[in-house]
Amino acid sequence: MSGARRPSNPSRAWLDRQTATVRIWYRGAVGCGLAAGVATLIQMGALAWVVDRVVSDRATLAQVAGGLALIVAAIVVRALAQWGQESCGQECGLRVRRQVRARLLARLHELGPVRLASRHSAGLASQLVDQVEALEGYYSRFLPQMVLAAAIPLIYLVVVFWLNWLAAIWLLIAAPLIPLFMALIGMGAQRLNEAQFQAVTRLSGHFLDRVRGIATLQLFGLGERSIAEVGEVAHDYRRRSLKTLRVAFLSSAVLEFFAAVSVAVVAIYIGFGLLGYIDYGPAEQLDLFSGLFILLLAPEFFQPLRTLSQHYHDRASALGAAEGLVELLDAGAETVQPAHETPDSSLETGEIRLADVELSHAGRERILGPLSLTVTPGEVVALVGPSGSGKSSLLQLIAGFVAPDRGRVMVRRDPAIAWLDQRPLIIQGTLAENLRLVALDADDAALTRALEQAGLGDWLAAAPAGLETPLGERGVGLSGGEGQRLALARIFLSPAPLVLLDEPTAALDPETERRVIAGLARLAASGRTLVMATHHPAVMAMAHTVYAIENGQLKRTSRAEVAPRVEMEP
Amino acid sequence: MKALSPLLPWLGVMKERRGRLLLGGVLMLATLASALGLLSLSGWFITATAVAAMTGAYLDVFAPGGGIRFFAVSRTVSRYLERLYNHDTVLRLLADLRSRVFRGLVVLDARTLSRVRASQWLNRLTADIDTLDNLYLRLLAPPLVALIGIVGFALFAMAFLPSAGIAILALLLPLWLAVTLGCAWWGWRASHRRVERQERLRVRTIEQIEGLAELTAYGALETHRRHWRREERILLDDQRRLGRRTAAGNALMTLGVQSTTLLVLMLGLLAFQQGAVSGPVMVMLALGTLAVSEGLGNLPMAFVQFGATQRSAERLNEQTALRPALVGEPLTTGGAAPALAYLEVDVRHGERRVFVDLTLTLAAGERVAIVGTSGSGKSTLAQLAVRAFDPDAGSVTFEGHDIATIDPDSLRARIGYLTQRSELFHDTLAANLRMGAPEASDERLWWALEQVELRAWAETLPQGLETWIGEQGRQLSGGQARRVALARVMLRDSPLVILDEPLSGLDSGTAERLKATLDDWLGERTALLLGHDEAALPRCDRYWRLVPGAEGTRLEGDVSHP
């Protein structure tokens, strides 16, 4: 933050870069913290003055009313500044989190559906949600406190020095150099946090591993033994992490010790000085006011450092999270392809032209090509071939999810392409919200019509809440076939002239399959361009053209030639 | 109080360690008392020396000086011991809680388990447990120690100046209530629902990742982003609300503690002027009041989040108290190959009827293959045989006994079941293999590895059988993991064997050789082999095909041998 530190580690550099947009709030937090520190100083000074006047000079309450009023004012300022510091710090944390999440989401979009397929979606989501949460304390508490832990003790030291330089030296002896102190806390707290972080992560890993495998444990009759094992492993980690903790806590104990001893030394020095037992240095100038003031400031001198050491775990968890996030933000940065090619104006809507296209997986053999393909508007095309032959890859090329290594893909993708996935997307929300994803302004009648065309008319009629039926994890679960037909309804609803379907009838029972095929037939008759990857003879039967993919090459083929190869269900 | 009931079972777990908790609390109290003693005695000492200097009276400086040094050391030592001891306690509680949650899960039947696995619940499980393990350190001990500190110091103050003691009680007790119960109530709703809202954001994120192809193609990504941003905003609003309330709680605490200190000082001043207390005592009481606040430190933050803790407990309770374990009589028959029969079995998964009136019999020593597409119910047949759950109607018999009356563990001890997924654990290769036969010798393990053609590979490993295989066996390829799982079943050497897609993920050469090995090994055992087609299985006596239909799955037999 200060610019003086040069973070060597990329996670920390990244963490520090995120503060660029929250500087105002960050400064607000530091400013409020300083204000609270100064208010504390004033409060303690006024307190010492009041006591001194009353005890030494036998002043009446009325005579010290000014001091009492100052104390009240200082207390109020202190409380308000404290509130301000926390609120500003919190705003830093909130804003950084929002900004990081937006960037991650944009990053996922850049990576695209094909590259994301190799990653675990729940893992990514946990990075985007939980890991980003872990950044909070670093920005809201740790960073402002870093500055305060250096600045506030310094202010107090100056005041103490002015009151009595020897007392200031007592404080300095206790805290030889603040940076050294901070490094000490840092090392201790960091080791502590790293150890704990690691232990907890490994422990959670073991636990989740066993929970995931419970069915297997049951099969082997190991249930009881595993319960004991889960406990044993946790205890084993406890014993091991305690070894580290014993040392790690020592460093904060050293801080505590210095803090306590310096209060004690200062108190005894002042006491002896007041009694006149000390006849060197500035001890003779000590009076009750300066003595009490110094004593009151002594614990406050160490308080910011103690607070910082409490916040050290915020730093550790932010660093831990940042590591994963930086990795995701940088992942395959060099392989991100440029956006779609500019559409050829000579291209009609719904037309596809592929010229000498080749596609290979990163570092692996060629999957497709070189191949050329022209699909005219309104044509219905089926792609057949064994799994792994590249049917899906061809669809992804046409959709623009991957760019070809060679050749040209010419498709007009505006306004949209309709896409039917093997696993249709069902979002948490109502049926209507699920459909309106693809057509924002569609009215209820249009939604109902699309559902009927997709073969969900009966389902809709039977649903009491109709279009407002909630779907998704918390709503009504749709069966696989119903989900597939919902995706089909989206196609009917979408104005997209080009429709790409990836195995629209995979994993459906015969009854559902029949309904989906009927829906597809209606779609084929609607004049849109359809390209379908399929195994199903009935789907092939509705195609104008069937291509077989063999060794990455397209082979135009007749339906009769392909159909017998597909195993018929009895 | 009703809101607290979800926490009761977990408080019960802690009660078993009440000795430790008590000692931890005492150490916390000792730390607070030392801080209090240090500051108040120092204040007393300085004022007393100043007074003595003015009046020339004699002052014993050694006793208070010693006291100050004692408190300085005792504060450091007690704080160190307290942190170490209480961390130990928290880790012990963690072990207790994990065992308890695991015990609750281990008795669940397969269907409930698969629901648990499918949901996001598993991802939150450890976070929920962690919330509870530090319940003691955040929510139980600190408020109690603070309360004892307040009352104790008030009584102490009363001995010198009753009005000061009463003022401390009158101001600090309500303050204590405000930063504990008050903050808990104030943050309750927002923190309780924050957990849920974070979950919703997660679900939206998963939607966006898994549906990226559809959303991108349709140009619908921005629409979905809007949904996503709305969830995020709601979550951040709640967090902002909670943060502001915590900040307000902290500010209130500062205000309360400092005002109390001021009031005690003013009462002291008045009493001092009337000669009721000495100057040193007056200062001691004021500084002591200030030091008491150290005990209140983290309470607002902890209590504003109280709702989230309660929600975690609620969620854990939902899963761990699901249903009682399946029970039954232990089997007493010997180790001969048994007969297995499914008699008019009905199975429903929710609304879907998987089997209606399904009947299938395996004579002792018979080898039967069931083929069918994925989702046709093959694995369900296997799960019925091991009593992973009981059928909705009809019965499954093992050696003529209805398995619904047999103790699941004793039944499973006679069955070697290779599940469709190769479930390996983060442990050594040997430990994973010995799950099948805990007493097996190393030679026996090598034999099994040889059977599945992994011996040569295992011999190249520097640590051999003691090699750790990664989380869910990740360091193994799919085919290797499959074969380790198969070796584990072979080691079990059971009279009934069920293999679900035994050769999936293997290259054709290995698959062919393993077919022959399995053919030998299965020998006279009763076997139920499940696969997507006949070619994927070793030779069998009979072949059946599972054909899905609207009225549940039918068995169509005897598909001729390929």
Side-chain angles (χ1 to χ4, degrees), chain A residues 416-498:
Chain A
I417 293 178
W419 175 270
L420 187 126
D421 211 88
Q422 292 188 34
R423 283 202 316 180
L425 167 69
I426 295 166
I427 66 163
Q428 212 165 106
T430 62
L431 178 58
E433 278 175 323
N434 263 285
L435 289 170
R436 285 208 177 95
L437 271 181
V438 302
L440 277 180
D441 307 320
D443 58 17
D444 284 2
L447 302 188
T448 310
R449 204 162 48 243
L451 288 169
E452 278 164 0
Q453 283 173 309
L456 278 175
D458 297 345
W459 188 91
L460 181 66
L467 289 169
E468 297 309 310
T469 306
L471 302 179
E473 200 180 350
R474 259 155 270 259
V476 178
L478 290 180
S479 72
E482 285 158 355
Q484 205 74 351
R485 279 179 281 163
L486 175 69
L488 203 54
R490 278 200 196 117
I491 298 180
F492 280 110
L493 194 62
S494 154
L498 172 58

Side-chain angles (χ1 to χ4, degrees), chain B residues 87-136:
Chain B
H87 257 85
D88 190 6
T89 308
V90 164
L91 290 173
R92 278 172 205 262
L93 286 174
L94 181 74
D96 295 350
L97 289 170
R98 291 237 159 114
S99 307
R100 185 193 152 100
V101 169
F102 197 77
R103 186 180 295 278
L105 290 173
V106 118
V107 297
L108 297 181
D109 73 21
R111 277 198 282 192
T112 318
L113 267 179
S114 70
R115 234 182 12 247
V116 169
R117 279 170 65 141
S119 75
Q120 289 296 314
W121 180 77
L122 197 58
N123 290 329
R124 298 180 315 227
L125 184 60
T126 49
D128 279 342
I129 296 176
D130 289 347
T131 312
L132 288 176
D133 71 36
N134 57 31
L135 184 65
Y136 162 74

Side-chain angles (χ1 to χ4, degrees), chain B residues 308-319:
Chain B
T309 305
Q310 191 256 10
R311 185 73 195 109
S312 287
E314 258 177 22
R315 275 207 307 246
L316 285 176
N317 292 346
E318 277 164 26
Q319 296 299 338

Side-chain angles (χ1 to χ4, degrees), chain A residues 104-440:
Chain A
L104 284 169
L105 217 53
R107 177 72 196 145
L108 293 181
H109 183 203
E110 266 170 36
L111 283 172
V114 176
R115 261 188 300 271
L116 280 187
S118 64
R119 287 176 180 256
H120 198 304
S121 57
L124 284 173
S126 134
Q127 279 196 304
L128 220 128
V129 179
D130 308 299
Q131 304 253 48
V132 173
E133 279 304 303
L135 300 178
E136 212 253 319
Y138 182 73
Y139 295 100
S140 65
R141 294 184 289 267
F142 182 79
L143 278 184
Q145 193 62 34
M146 278 275 287
V147 179
L148 296 178
I152 290 180
L154 209 61
I155 297 175
Y156 292 172
L157 195 68
V158 169
V159 173
V160 173
F161 193 84
W162 168 69
L163 290 168
N164 184 302
W165 59 264
L166 196 57
I169 288 180
W170 289 129
L171 282 184
L172 265 185
I173 287 173
L177 282 168
I178 287 172
L180 189 73
F181 233 122
M182 286 175 51
L184 187 69
I185 306 166
M187 279 174 341
Q190 197 163 354
R191 206 168 40 231
L192 162 78
N193 281 304
E194 273 165 15
Q196 256 182 303
F197 203 69
Q198 241 178 35
V200 168
T201 313
R202 290 175 69 180
L203 189 54
S204 305
H206 174 270
F207 182 65
L208 284 182
D209 185 55
R210 291 326 191 249
V211 173
R212 268 192 212 106
I214 277 185
T216 303
L217 295 174
Q218 288 175 339
L219 277 181
F220 287 107
L222 297 174
E224 277 301 318
R225 221 185 74 187
S226 312
I227 297 173
E229 195 199 36
V230 162
E232 270 165 36
V233 169
H235 279 300
D236 185 46
Y237 274 112
R238 175 181 66 81
R239 277 185 288 271
R240 264 192 272 170
S241 63
L242 271 183
K243 268 186 212 150
T244 333
L245 289 180
R246 245 173 244 143
V247 183
F249 283 149
L250 261 185
S251 74
S252 63
V254 168
L255 175 65
E256 293 279 337
F257 181 70
F258 277 129
V261 163
S262 79
V263 173
V265 168
V266 165
I268 292 169
Y269 163 73
I270 294 170
F272 280 45
L274 286 173
L275 281 174
Y277 290 3
I278 301 174
D279 47 11
Y280 53 88
E284 280 164 24
Q285 291 131 41
L286 275 174
D287 54 11
L288 183 55
F289 164 70
S290 56
L292 199 55
F293 194 10
I294 292 169
L295 176 73
L296 286 169
L297 283 183
E300 297 293 337
F301 176 83
F302 291 96
Q303 192 52 50
L305 282 166
R306 292 172 67 194
T307 310
L308 184 69
S309 79
Q310 279 172 13
H311 293 332
Y312 235 88
H313 70 265
D314 289 329
R315 179 177 177 274
S317 47
L319 273 176
E323 215 166 293
L325 297 177
V326 169
E327 188 263 325
L328 178 60
L329 285 168
D330 293 346
E334 68 290 347
T335 62
V336 172
Q337 276 121 7
H340 315 312
E341 297 171 38
T342 44
D344 192 329
S345 54
S346 70
L347 215 60
E348 286 181 63
T349 40
E351 188 179 353
I352 303 170
R353 268 189 248 154
L354 268 58
D356 304 317
V357 166
E358 283 183 38
L359 179 72
S360 43
H361 277 315
R364 278 198 280 154
E365 75 282 19
R366 194 163 58 196
I367 319 167
L368 282 178
L371 61 81
S372 298
L373 170 71
T374 305
V375 179
T376 55
E379 192 176 348
V380 177
V381 172
L383 302 172
V384 301
S387 56
S389 60
K391 299 192 296 291
S392 299
S393 301
L394 186 55
L395 289 177
Q396 287 161 352
L397 263 176
I398 298 173
F401 298 156
V402 284
D405 297 304
R406 265 181 222 171
R408 291 190 64 191
V409 176
M410 284 165 286
V411 182
R412 278 184 64 167
R413 299 193 180 93
D414 52 323
I417 293 178
W419 175 270
L420 187 126
D421 211 88
Q422 292 188 34
R423 283 202 316 180
L425 167 69
I426 295 166
I427 66 163
Q428 212 165 106
T430 62
L431 178 58
E433 278 175 323
N434 263 285
L435 289 170
R436 285 208 177 95
L437 271 181
V438 302
L440 277 180

Side-chain angles (χ1 to χ4, degrees), chain A residues 43 59 82 238 246 252 428, chain B residues 83 88 207 254 258 273:
Chain A
Q43 183 198 346
Q82 198 183 349
R238 175 181 66 81
R246 245 173 244 143
S252 63
Q428 212 165 106
Chain B
R83 289 184 77 185
D88 190 6
E207 281 171 13
T254 303
Q258 302 295 342
Q273 283 168 344

Side-chain angles (χ1 to χ4, degrees), chain A residues 43 47 50-51 54-56 58-61 71-72 75 78-79 82-83 86 90-91 94 97-98 101 105 108-109 112-113 116 121 124-125 128-130 133 141 196 203-204 207-214 216-220 222 226-227 230-231 234-235 238 241-242 246 249-250 252-253 256-257 260 264 267-268 271-272 274-275 288 295-296 306 401 416-419 424-425 427-428 437-438 440 473 490-491 494 510 567 569-570, chain B residues 42-43 45-47 49-54 61 68-69 72 76 79-80 83-84 87-88 91-92 94-95 98-99 102-103 105-106 108 113 117 122 125-126 129 198 200 202-204 206-210 212-215 217-218 220-221 223-226 228 232 236 239-240 243-244 247-248 250-251 254-255 258 262 265 269-270 272-273 282-283 287 294 301 373 386 412 417 419 423 425-427 435-436 471-472 488 492 545 548 556:
Chain A
Q43 183 198 346
L47 194 80
V50 167
V51 171
V54 171
V55 174
S56 308
R58 297 273 157 184
T60 61
L61 268 189
I71 295 178
V72 172
I75 291 174
R78 204 176 149 181
Q82 198 183 349
W83 184 84
E86 277 188 55
Q90 200 214 348
E91 204 55 44
L94 286 171
R97 273 180 286 165
R98 202 168 59 197
R101 284 211 180 100
L105 217 53
L108 293 181
H109 183 203
L116 280 187
S121 57
L124 284 173
L128 220 128
V129 179
D130 308 299
E133 279 304 303
R141 294 184 289 267
Q196 256 182 303
L203 189 54
S204 305
F207 182 65
L208 284 182
D209 185 55
R210 291 326 191 249
V211 173
R212 268 192 212 106
I214 277 185
T216 303
L217 295 174
Q218 288 175 339
L219 277 181
F220 287 107
L222 297 174
S226 312
I227 297 173
V230 162
H235 279 300
R238 175 181 66 81
S241 63
L242 271 183
R246 245 173 244 143
F249 283 149
L250 261 185
S252 63
E256 293 279 337
F257 181 70
I268 292 169
F272 280 45
L274 286 173
L275 281 174
L288 183 55
L295 176 73
L296 286 169
R306 292 172 67 194
F401 298 156
I417 293 178
W419 175 270
L425 167 69
I427 66 163
Q428 212 165 106
L437 271 181
V438 302
L440 277 180
E473 200 180 350
R490 278 200 196 117
I491 298 180
S494 154
E567 206 178 305
E569 283 293 335
Chain B
S42 302
F45 179 63
I46 288 178
T47 320
T49 52
V51 171
M54 278 188 296
V61 292
I68 289 170
R69 280 193 295 270
T76 312
R79 174 97 179 110
Y80 177 74
R83 289 184 77 185
L84 199 61
H87 257 85
D88 190 6
L91 290 173
R92 278 172 205 262
L94 181 74
R98 291 237 159 114
S99 307
F102 197 77
R103 186 180 295 278
L105 290 173
V106 118
L108 297 181
L113 267 179
R117 279 170 65 141
L122 197 58
L125 184 60
T126 49
I129 296 176
Q198 196 160 325
R200 292 238 298 259
R202 190 201 307 275
V203 170
R204 284 277 183 238
I206 292 180
E207 281 171 13
Q208 201 159 109
I209 295 166
E210 290 184 343
L212 196 56
E214 248 175 297
L215 292 170
Y218 279 116
L221 198 56
T223 314
H224 192 266
R225 286 260 175 93
R226 263 204 301 281
W228 187 90
E232 191 201 26
L236 291 183
Q239 286 175 331
R240 182 175 289 117
R244 292 263 158 90
N250 283 331
T254 303
L255 213 56
Q258 302 295 342
L262 185 62
L265 180 70
L269 288 172
L270 283 173
F272 172 70
Q273 283 168 344
M282 171 190 87
V283 173
L287 292 196
E294 211 169 288
M301 165 94 121
T373 55
V386 295
R412 290 168 194 164
Y417 172 23
T419 50
E423 204 128 45
F425 292 86
H426 182 62
D427 213 327
M435 290 179 69
E471 200 189 336
Q472 292 182 281
R488 186 164 72 184
R492 198 151 176 79
R545 177 179 287 275
E556 279 186 6

Side-chain angles (χ1 to χ4, degrees), chain A residues 35-57:
Chain A
V38 172
T40 307
L41 183 74
I42 292 172
Q43 183 198 346
M44 296 310 173
L47 194 80
W49 180 80
V50 167
V51 171
D52 181 38
R53 290 275 290 144
V54 171
V55 174
S56 308
D57 306 340

Side-chain angles (χ1 to χ4, degrees), chain B residues 254-334:
Chain B
T254 303
L255 213 56
V257 168
Q258 302 295 342
S259 318
T260 312
T261 308
L262 185 62
L263 184 65
V264 169
L265 180 70
M266 286 167 69
L267 289 171
L269 288 172
L270 283 173
F272 172 70
Q273 283 168 344
Q274 290 155 8
V277 294
S278 68
V281 167
M282 171 190 87
V283 173
M284 173 184 76
L285 294 183
L287 292 196
T289 313
L290 206 57
V292 165
S293 71
E294 211 169 288
L296 294 167
N298 296 319
L299 293 182
M301 165 94 121
F303 276 87
V304 164
Q305 303 286 351
F306 189 74
T309 305
Q310 191 256 10
R311 185 73 195 109
S312 287
E314 258 177 22
R315 275 207 307 246
L316 285 176
N317 292 346
E318 277 164 26
Q319 296 299 338
T320 50
L322 278 176
R323 59 176 74 183
L326 300 169
V327 288
E329 296 295 314
L331 265 179
T332 49
T333 54

